[in-house]
Amino acid sequence: GSCTFSGSAAAMSTGKVTQVIGAVVDVQFDGKLPKILNVLEVEVAEGSECLVLEVAQYPGENTMCTIAMESTDGLVCKQKCVDSSGPIQVSVGQETLGCIINMIGEPVDEKGPIFPNKETEKFAPLH
């Protein structure tokens, strides 16, 4: 899917991937560190699927240990990541009943958008 968690990337903290071991990805930040459970969006080539990381722990040295919500195939060190300044948000409400959504709140049941009208969208943090 497309990255939809962050608003203005210019105001967000940025970091870079330092290590990838399966679904565990270490990201180093030079400036402000993201909070635990925040979403990090990995910048990928135009037209590619967005990779969402969730901050799991802070082992120190300005490095955040994250968990990838999808496959890390093709992810390389020094790839740029942007802190969304918030947690994973999923759709909530009557419209979600019977829908199948993935870990980052995107519908995967091929029925189309959960909320056809943007004005009725409701989201809540996953955790």
Side-chain angles (χ1 to χ4, degrees), residues 22-108:
V24 179
V25 180
D26 288 349
V27 179
Q28 185 174 36
F29 285 80
D30 293 328
K32 182 180 174 219
L33 297 176
K35 293 179 181 177
I36 302 295
L37 300 180
N38 269 16
V39 169
L40 303 182
E41 299 172 1
V42 179
E43 291 193 356
V44 293
E46 190 69 34
S48 297
E49 291 289 315
C50 174
L51 178 60
V52 172
L53 309 174
E54 182 179 59
V55 177
Q57 68 181 163
Y58 172 59
E61 307 266 333
N62 290 340
T63 299
M64 306 306 288
C65 182
T66 70
I67 306 298
M69 297 294 114
E70 296 185 77
S71 172
T72 58
D73 290 349
L75 188 62
V76 296
C77 289
K78 297 186 181 175
Q79 229 169 319
K80 187 177 173 186
C81 297
V82 179
D83 176 18
S84 72
S85 298
I88 293 175
Q89 302 266 334
V90 294
S91 303
V92 295
Q94 288 292 116
E95 297 88 350
T96 63
L97 297 177
C99 294
I100 302 171
I101 59 174
N102 64 15
M103 285 294 300
I104 57 174
E106 297 172 332
V108 293

